[in-house]
């Protein structure tokens, strides 16, 4: 008796797949071919719950679960074992036969895959004509949609209803939308074909359980992945189909939109953003489930002649003998085969039909990495070479090495994605029955590797949904094609329709005074509509910039990013804690971007000060520590507040009060108690001096002084400089003065008249007049005959700062407060 052949046609949410599962389970054995690995896995889990794990098998390119007594099989269409005898057989989403890339596989299954007792073809209503023409004996059953699907218009992200799915057509766009949802709505589940089944199931479970109210996915959800959705929003209506960027067909739009509303609950669809994307005729067709009929299906010989290489290629390029069928475009497997047909090694080994069949089997290795036929052919050639030498198996050492090379969860998102794609290649090889000596072992290893990498990628993307690309990826979402073309050049020039209207320096836009007056307002308004996107891009760039892109500017005193001022400094609580006042243009950023930019600027300033002024921070910490002796605090606290240097003359009382333990603390802190000054020599290096000068100027609300060249010890600068002392007409660095004072130490001790050696002044790089001023400051006095003698340095009155004096007590109390 002939097998019963039934075609069940209708839109989404008509229960076609559910019917096929019920019919299969009612038979003694069965098999269903699906378009997606994820869908096959989903139905496998459902059938296992009905029949038990020992009775059900799963066969996909990268995954095979096949118990010895399995009677019900769930497969991808490409992996259906055509020689398997089953009572029931079904093909899901058969309208994919019209797809140029995979269509020939579905057409072959429609024409040749049959169940012993019943065969069921599931597909769109548009497939009806092809079913009648190619399978005239088929019984066609049409099923109406259980619920109503209606258009809800364009909605901004903030107005999307709960239980919504946003569909995008690239991984980057998926995560960009997910990042926006994380900021605005607390998070979203993510579903993509590149995720492992376990990761995908965990994401869907999170959505189904109500932990998040939104789901972002690729068009994979259009192929029968069932979720509790009320609304489907399209992030765009175009996708790259492997050859070109094109607009979705109405059928593809309907397939995706139809995921909204399940069973008797109505659903809605629309676009994401403030602008309409759908055309009126598309909306009407989707709501009424009216789509253009499929006029042809793609075909390729599913059982080609393998007697020789030329015969195989000729069979795969043969034209169909029916006008309803068209020859399939050259797929990757055929492109690889034709390249290898010119390889001397392949020509030498593919002389027997069994070797030709083996070659065609190797060419079926999918290009998961999307490297193209030329590069992929090299991988296939190596696999074929191993399969046709020695034991006929791929060497275990080579295979294990490739797996080990991928077993790394570090790196950025593209690196993880590339490893997952490569892991799928090795998983496919491991699931070929006779390509490896121990396929079962390596299948388990590759499965564990793919799960590990997928989980790492999911974790990384969940933590930060590719923040770096969000602003760029969102440009096309909701954009008005009629909007004037706005461009921002590398030098910041902003142009509208090639008309320069101003420039964007950092985040601040300045109108070009030469712009035409009559169009000025219109052009400015057009630019401002797009400038938020450019500012957001620059905000992300600032956040991601290395420290070398930032600098402390002196006029005015502030922080520059890539040469443009983004913040100025104002007096803060202490010298080391200035307030950061962001540039007013930063206020035009979003709240989140403002916070991130401000935090990055704060982090840079804090890191720079900590790195170069570490002794000053230590000085402030020790001076403010209640466990530090009061006499030491009385020195260190004002010293830190003064930028790390202090005139000794007013501190003789506290200095004289120090005991040996106090002095040990000061030496450990790096403090030099000089003849004229107290200082830390580490703060006299060029960069610490520059930072102290800037902080002191901010504290005093005065301009930053012009600093001498790095390494200079004597200068004629008029104003006060950190680390320098005014000596006569010159300013001399205080550590040089101390070196001169120590060189004259013996003269001071002897208190005998002496004549200064001019060579001594020259060796220190000071002129004679300056040297004399230094001598006087250090306590020497000139006498008749050019002699100098030690007298004493000017001292403050002892009553000003003795341990018993009110002045000392005030200093001590002030130190405690600091």
């Amino acid at each position: 008796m002939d097998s019963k052949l039934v075609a069940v046609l209708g839109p989404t949410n008509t229960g076609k797949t559910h019917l096929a599962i019920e019919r299969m389970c009612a038979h003694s054995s069965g098999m269903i071919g699906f378009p997606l690995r994820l869908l096959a896995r989903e139905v496998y889990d459902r059938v296992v719950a009905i029949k038990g794990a020992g009775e059900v098998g799963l066969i996909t390119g990268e995954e095979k679960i096949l118990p010895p007594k399995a009677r019900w099989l769930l497969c991808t269409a490409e992996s259906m074992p055509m020689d398997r005898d089953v009572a029931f057989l079904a093909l899901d989403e058969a309208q994919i036969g019209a797809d140029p890339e995979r269509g020939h596989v579905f057409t072959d299954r429609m024409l040749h895959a049959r169940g012993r007792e019943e065969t069921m073809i599931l597909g769109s209503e548009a497939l009806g004509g092809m079913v009648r023409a190619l399978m005239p004996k088929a019984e066609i059953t049409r099923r109406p949609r259980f619920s109503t699907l209606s258009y809800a218009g364009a909605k901004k992200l903030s107005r999307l209803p709960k239980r919504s799915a946003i569909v995008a057509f690239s991984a980057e766009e998926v995560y960009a939308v997910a990042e926006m949802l994380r900021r605005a709505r607390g998070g979203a589940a993510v579903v993509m074909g590149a995720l492992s089944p376990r990761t995908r199931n965990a994401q869907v479970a999170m959505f189904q359980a109500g932990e998040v109210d939104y789901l972002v996915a690729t068009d994979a959800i259009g192929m029968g992945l069932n979720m509790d959705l009320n609304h489907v929003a399209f992030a765009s209506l175009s996708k790259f189909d492997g050859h070109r960027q094109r607009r979705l067909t109405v059928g593809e739009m309907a397939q995706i939109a139809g995921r909204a509303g399940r069973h008797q609950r109505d659903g809605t669809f629309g676009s994401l953003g403030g602008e309409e994307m759908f055309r009126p005729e598309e909306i009407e067709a989707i709501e009424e489930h009216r789509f253009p009929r499929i006029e042809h299906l793609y075909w390729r010989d599913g059982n080609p002649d393998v007697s020789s290489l030329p015969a195989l290629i000729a069979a795969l390029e043969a034209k169909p003998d029916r006008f309803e069928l068209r020859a399939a475009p050259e797929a990757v497997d055929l492109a690889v085969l034709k390249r290898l047909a010119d390889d001397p090694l392949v020509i030498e080994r593919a002389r027997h039909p069994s070797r030709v069949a083996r070659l065609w089997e190797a060419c079926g290795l999918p290009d998961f990495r999307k490297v193209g036929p030329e590069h992929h052919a090299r991988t296939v050639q190596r696999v074929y070479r191993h399969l046709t030498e020695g034991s006929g198996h791929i060497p275990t050492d080579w295979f294990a090495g490739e797996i080990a090379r991928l077993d790394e969860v570090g790196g950025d998102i593209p690196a993880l994605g590339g490893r997952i794609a490569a892991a799928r290649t090795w998983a496919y090889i491991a699931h070929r029955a006779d390509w490896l000596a121990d396929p079962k072992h390596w299948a388990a290893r590759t499965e564990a590797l793919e799960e590990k990498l997928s989980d790492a990628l999911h974790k990384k993307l969940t933590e930060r949904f590719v923040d770096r690309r969000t602003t760029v990826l969102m440009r096309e979402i909701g954009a008005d094609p009629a909007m004037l073309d706005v461009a921002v050049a590398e030098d910041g020039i902003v142009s509208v329709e090639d008309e320069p209207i101003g420039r964007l320096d950092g985040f601040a836009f300045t109108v070009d005074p030469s712009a035409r007056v009559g169009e000025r307002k219109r052009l400015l308004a057009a630019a401002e509509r797009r400038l938020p996107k450019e500012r957001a891009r620059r905000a992300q760039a600032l956040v991601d910039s290395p420290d070398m892109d930032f600098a402390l500017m002196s006029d005015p005193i502030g922080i520059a990013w890539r040469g443009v001022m983004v913040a100025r400094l104002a007096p803060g609580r202490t010298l080391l804690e200035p307030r950061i006042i962001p540039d007013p243009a930063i206020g035009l950023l979003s709240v989140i971007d403002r916070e991130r930019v401000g935090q990055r600027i704060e982090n840079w300033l804090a890191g720079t000060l900590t790195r170069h002024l570490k002794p000053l921070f230590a000085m402030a910490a020790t001076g403010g520590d209640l466990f530090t002796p009061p006499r030491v605090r009385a020195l260190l606290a004002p010293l830190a507040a003064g930028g790390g240097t202090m005139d000794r003359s007013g501190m003789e009382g506290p200095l004289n009060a120090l005991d040996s333990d106090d002095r040990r603390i000061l030496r450990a802190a790096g403090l030099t108690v000089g003849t004229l000054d107290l200082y830390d020599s580490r703060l006299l290096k060029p960069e610490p001096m520059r930072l102290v000068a800037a902080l002191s100027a901010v504290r005093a609300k005065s301009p930053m002084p012009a600093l001498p060249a790095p390494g200079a010890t004597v200068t004629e600068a008029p104003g006060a400089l950190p680390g320098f002392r005014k000596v006569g007409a010159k300013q001399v660095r205080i550590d040089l003065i101390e070196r001169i004072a120590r060189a004259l130490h013996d003269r001071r001790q002897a208190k005998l008249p002496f004549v200064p050696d001019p060579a001594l002044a020259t060796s220190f790089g000071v002129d004679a007049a300056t040297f004399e001023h230094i001598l006087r400051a250090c306590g020497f006095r000139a006498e008749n005959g050019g002699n100098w003698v030690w007298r004493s340095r000017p001292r403050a009155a002892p009553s000003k700062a003795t341990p018993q004096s009110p002045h000392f007590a005030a200093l001590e109390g002030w130190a405690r407060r600091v």
Side-chain angles (χ1 to χ4, degrees):
M1 185 175 70
D2 291 341
S3 168
K4 180 180 179 182
L5 180 59
V6 179
V8 182
L9 308 179
T12 57
N13 193 26
T14 57
K16 298 186 297 292
T17 304
H18 182 72
L19 174 64
I21 296 170
E22 283 188 334
R23 294 299 304 144
M24 182 183 72
C25 291
H27 286 274
S28 59
S29 61
M31 175 166 52
I32 304 179
F34 295 98
L36 294 176
R37 173 191 179 192
L38 291 177
L39 183 53
R41 181 70 192 224
E42 178 183 286
V43 177
Y44 166 79
D45 292 336
R46 290 173 60 184
V47 178
V48 164
I50 299 171
K51 297 293 186 179
E55 302 284 342
V56 186
L58 173 69
I59 304 177
T60 70
E62 307 110 271
E63 194 173 13
K64 182 181 290 185
I65 303 173
L66 196 59
K69 296 182 180 180
R71 292 190 289 157
W72 293 277
L73 303 181
L74 294 312
C75 319
T76 50
E78 287 85 350
S79 300
M80 294 174 71
M82 297 294 285
D83 56 351
R84 182 92 171 198
D85 179 39
V86 291
F88 174 87
L89 186 142
L91 178 67
D92 195 20
E93 307 290 0
Q95 75 276 1
I96 295 178
D99 177 67
E101 185 175 353
R102 301 176 65 200
H104 64 88
V105 175
F106 283 78
T107 301
D108 181 75
R109 303 301 185 257
M110 285 176 60
L111 296 176
H112 303 296
R114 295 291 182 267
R116 189 173 61 250
E117 299 170 9
E118 184 178 0
T119 301
M120 185 175 287
I121 305 298
L122 312 176
S124 165
E125 178 71 36
L127 189 64
M130 291 293 99
V131 172
R132 284 190 293 270
L134 299 174
M135 297 174 286
K137 294 183 179 181
E139 173 189 329
I140 298 179
T141 300
R142 290 178 170 81
R143 294 173 69 92
R145 182 177 168 91
F146 292 150
S147 60
T148 299
L149 181 63
S150 56
Y151 181 63
K155 294 181 181 294
K156 294 183 178 180
L157 201 70
S158 60
R159 296 185 177 274
L160 282 179
K162 292 183 178 181
R163 316 310 296 165
S164 289
I166 299 91
V167 180
F169 297 94
S170 69
E172 291 84 359
E173 196 175 26
V174 164
Y175 289 115
V177 175
E179 165 67 13
M180 295 182 71
L181 280 170
R182 182 184 68 81
R183 294 179 181 182
R185 296 296 187 91
V190 174
V191 172
M192 290 169 38
L195 297 179
S196 68
R198 186 177 69 181
T199 304
R200 176 259 174 193
N201 290 342
Q203 287 288 300
V204 172
M206 183 170 63
F207 176 77
Q208 294 290 73
E211 295 178 34
V212 291
D213 290 317
Y214 301 92
L215 181 141
V216 189
T218 59
D219 53 347
I221 69 166
M223 292 296 176
L225 296 179
N226 298 317
M227 281 158 279
D228 183 19
L229 296 174
N230 294 338
H231 179 77
V232 171
F234 288 75
S236 64
L237 290 179
S238 66
K239 72 173 184 177
F240 183 73
D241 62 6
H243 302 282
R244 61 188 176 89
Q245 192 77 20
R246 63 170 178 83
R247 189 177 179 84
L248 301 178
T249 66
V250 176
E252 289 170 330
M253 295 177 192
Q255 188 77 27
I256 297 168
R259 294 299 109 196
R262 307 308 298 165
H263 304 296
Q264 302 297 322
R265 192 181 66 253
D266 295 339
T268 58
F269 71 97
S271 56
L272 180 65
E275 305 294 335
E276 300 288 348
M277 294 183 187
F278 289 91
R279 298 164 183 162
E281 61 273 19
E282 292 170 340
I283 297 171
E284 183 179 352
I286 295 171
E287 288 183 334
E288 298 181 5
H289 315 302
R290 292 187 290 100
F291 313 115
R293 291 176 51 185
I294 294 175
E295 300 294 340
H296 64 271
L297 300 176
Y298 287 102
W299 175 89
R300 191 175 76 180
D301 191 346
N303 188 26
D305 181 3
V306 293
S307 59
S308 67
L309 265 176
L312 174 60
I313 293 174
L316 294 171
E317 292 183 330
K319 306 294 183 184
D321 56 7
R322 299 201 51 154
F323 73 91
E324 298 93 352
L325 303 177
R326 288 189 184 178
E330 185 177 272
V332 173
D333 54 0
L334 178 55
V336 169
L337 174 66
K338 292 169 73 173
R339 282 168 171 77
L340 294 183
D342 296 327
D343 187 290
L345 181 144
V346 173
I347 295 172
E348 176 63 30
R349 296 191 179 185
R351 294 182 179 276
H352 188 275
S354 63
R355 290 290 184 91
V356 176
R358 194 68 154 172
L359 174 62
W360 181 231
E361 187 181 352
C363 290
L365 175 64
D367 180 16
F368 291 114
R369 295 174 296 165
K370 304 299 180 187
V371 295
E374 189 70 39
H375 187 81
H376 187 55
R378 292 197 281 270
T379 301
V380 174
Q381 192 265 9
R382 187 167 186 179
V383 169
Y384 179 67
R385 175 163 58 85
H386 289 313
L387 293 176
T388 54
E389 62 188 16
S391 64
H393 293 139
I394 292 173
T396 299
D397 290 346
W398 177 59
F399 191 89
E402 294 296 324
I403 294 297
R405 185 172 58 84
L406 299 173
D407 195 3
E408 168 59 51
V409 296
D412 57 12
I413 292 167
L416 278 171
R419 289 191 207 115
I420 291 172
R424 295 180 70 187
T425 299
W426 303 113
Y428 182 93
I429 291 173
H431 282 94
R432 308 282 72 77
D434 56 352
W435 286 20
L436 294 166
D438 188 2
K440 186 175 181 180
H441 167 76
W442 291 111
R445 285 283 303 276
T446 55
E447 181 180 357
L449 175 62
E450 184 184 350
E451 296 285 358
K452 179 179 179 180
L453 294 174
S454 294
D455 289 347
L457 176 60
H458 166 69
K459 180 180 179 181
K460 189 176 289 288
L461 292 169
T462 300
E463 289 173 350
R464 194 186 171 185
F465 292 111
V466 289
D467 245 344
R468 193 171 297 172
R469 297 185 177 182
T470 299
T471 55
V472 176
L473 295 171
M474 294 310 299
R475 283 179 180 172
E476 299 306 321
I477 298 177
D480 181 3
M483 188 183 295
L484 293 173
D485 182 30
V486 178
V488 181
E490 290 186 6
D491 60 358
I493 297 296
V494 179
S495 300
V496 177
E497 297 294 324
D498 297 326
E499 180 73 24
I501 64 168
R503 64 180 297 117
L504 192 64
D505 294 310
F507 301 95
F509 177 71
T510 306
V511 178
D512 185 351
S514 66
R516 294 193 296 268
V517 176
E519 296 182 349
R520 187 179 177 112
K521 289 184 179 180
R522 181 178 66 85
L523 296 177
L524 180 59
E528 286 295 343
R529 286 188 67 181
R530 286 295 183 91
L531 286 180
K533 300 179 178 65
E534 174 64 17
R535 287 190 177 108
R537 185 191 70 78
R538 294 189 178 197
Q540 185 63 56
L542 183 148
V543 171
D544 294 334
S545 289
D547 283 354
M548 67 178 66
D549 285 357
F550 296 86
L552 185 68
M553 307 298 283
S554 58
D555 187 20
I557 303 174
I559 298 168
W561 171 62
R562 296 179 180 176
V564 178
M565 188 73 74
V566 292
R568 62 181 180 85
L569 299 185
R573 194 169 65 88
T574 67
L575 178 78
L576 294 172
E577 298 175 290
R579 286 191 302 119
I580 297 175
I581 310 298
D583 185 85
I586 291 178
L588 299 173
L589 298 173
S590 68
V591 174
I592 293 177
D593 282 342
R594 284 203 303 271
E595 291 177 355
R596 295 169 67 231
V597 166
Q599 189 62 54
R600 180 66 183 98
I601 294 172
E602 287 180 14
N603 291 346
W604 176 81
L605 181 62
T608 300
L609 296 182
T610 302
R611 184 166 59 254
H612 294 289
L613 301 181
K614 186 176 181 180
L616 193 55
F617 278 95
M619 199 181 292
T622 305
D625 188 350
L626 294 179
F627 292 100
T628 302
R631 294 175 297 274
V632 175
R633 293 207 310 274
L635 284 173
L636 292 185
L639 188 62
T645 61
M646 180 183 289
D647 190 325
R648 174 174 174 164
S649 62
M651 301 300 292
E652 289 296 343
L655 285 172
N656 293 333
L658 296 175
D659 60 22
S660 58
D661 290 335
D662 297 336
R663 293 182 181 276
R664 265 198 306 273
I665 295 174
L666 294 177
R667 284 196 297 273
L671 184 67
T672 297
V673 179
T675 303
L676 301 181
D677 299 280
L678 281 67
Y679 63 91
D680 188 318
S681 60
R682 293 171 294 180
L683 296 174
L684 300 180
K685 295 179 180 179
E687 189 60 17
M689 285 178 63
R690 189 177 76 88
L691 294 174
V692 169
L695 295 175
S696 299
V698 168
R699 192 78 177 158
K701 298 182 180 180
S702 62
M704 181 171 170
L707 298 177
T713 55
V714 180
T715 179
E716 295 183 359
L721 295 176
F724 283 77
R725 170 180 281 272
K726 185 76 171 177
V727 181
K730 303 288 181 72
Q731 295 211 50
V732 183
R733 210 169 67 194
I734 56 180
D735 59 335
L736 177 63
I737 294 176
E738 180 60 21
R739 287 167 56 197
I740 294 174
R742 290 181 181 180
L744 298 172
H745 177 74
D746 292 341
R747 303 290 188 182
R748 187 181 66 186
Q749 292 292 100
K751 296 184 180 180
L752 296 175
F754 68 98
V755 178
D757 185 355
L760 184 63
T762 303
S763 68
F764 284 110
V766 297
D767 57 32
T770 302
F771 189 65
E772 289 186 4
H773 282 292
I774 293 174
L775 287 174
R776 287 191 178 91
C778 290
F780 293 94
R781 295 291 178 269
E783 295 185 343
N784 295 332
N787 290 326
W788 289 74
V789 67
W790 165 259
R791 295 300 184 194
S792 67
R793 285 182 291 106
R795 296 177 180 272
S799 60
K800 292 285 183 72
T802 63
Q804 293 80 26
S805 71
H807 181 56
F808 185 81
L811 276 174
E812 192 174 44
W814 178 77
R816 287 196 184 97
R817 291 196 299 277
V818 172

